[in-house]
Amino acid sequence: MSTSWQGNSHGQQYDKDGLPVNNPGAGSNNYYAAFAQPQNQQYAQPHQQPQAQPNYGQPQPQYGQVQPYNQFQQQPMGAPKNKIVAALLFFFLGELGIGNFYMGQTNLGIAKLVLFFIGMLTMIIFLGFFILGALWLWSLVEMVMVLTGAGGYDRDSNGVPLQ
């Protein structure tokens, strides 16, 4: 028994599924033979780099490879700030939040500035002495943290390390 047989359509050969074996093209009497053109498409292999993409000076990652994390990190912006200047600002003007403004910690600076004015206004009823004392102690602690680099005080708010 053969897998191809002669059909009734003017000598056209068909396989066991009824599809034409040799394709006579669009000019034949068989309507479906014109659409049964073999497709010679070549698909890219998953681990090959596409040929049409330009290489912009950097190697393209292969399929399945992971980019190193450090290629996506942004570089810190701004000039590095001085550790000694920051410590002196915290020591002398820390109650006003000037050291925090220098380090880029704007919210802490505003909070200290507001507490300083509240402490100055409530000094008449002696509550202000406690507020100003707490601010002074807070500033001393931040000065020590800047000098030791503890608690995130080793870099400014942009992530630039203090020098």
Side-chain angles (χ1 to χ4, degrees):
M1 175 170 203
S2 112
T3 59
S4 63
W5 58 280
Q6 293 289 331
N8 296 338
S9 174
H10 309 290
Q12 176 69 33
Q13 290 185 349
Y14 297 94
D15 65 0
K16 65 180 180 179
D17 296 325
L19 298 174
V21 174
N22 54 0
N23 190 358
S28 74
N29 293 335
N30 187 355
Y31 176 75
Y32 295 106
F35 300 105
Q37 298 290 332
Q39 301 290 327
N40 292 332
Q41 293 180 351
Q42 183 176 9
Y43 297 101
Q45 297 296 324
H47 293 289
Q48 290 181 352
Q49 184 176 7
Q51 300 288 333
Q53 289 185 355
N55 188 4
Y56 293 109
Q58 302 217 2
Q60 298 292 323
Q62 299 293 325
Y63 178 78
Q65 288 182 345
V66 178
Q67 289 278 32
Y69 179 72
N70 60 4
Q71 288 184 1
F72 297 111
Q73 289 180 341
Q74 292 182 353
Q75 295 297 322
M77 296 173 25
K81 298 190 172 40
N82 194 341
K83 182 187 288 192
I84 303 300
V85 171
L88 290 175
L89 286 174
F90 276 116
F91 183 75
F92 289 111
L93 299 172
E95 294 86 9
L96 295 171
I98 304 300
N100 295 104
F101 287 121
Y102 179 73
M103 296 278 290
Q105 302 165 342
T106 309
N107 292 337
L108 280 176
I110 290 172
K112 279 183 160 184
L113 196 58
V114 168
L115 284 174
F116 178 77
F117 285 120
I118 291 173
M120 292 301 284
L121 291 175
T122 58
M123 234 177 176
I124 196 155
I125 56 172
F126 297 107
L127 180 64
F129 289 113
F130 294 112
I131 294 174
L132 291 176
L135 280 174
W136 178 76
L137 185 62
W138 185 5
S139 298
L140 283 179
V141 168
E142 283 182 322
M143 181 196 71
V144 170
M145 289 174 73
V146 164
L147 290 175
T148 60
Y153 282 86
D154 59 339
R155 50 190 70 237
D156 65 0
S157 65
N158 291 329
V160 179
L162 297 178
Q163 290 185 348

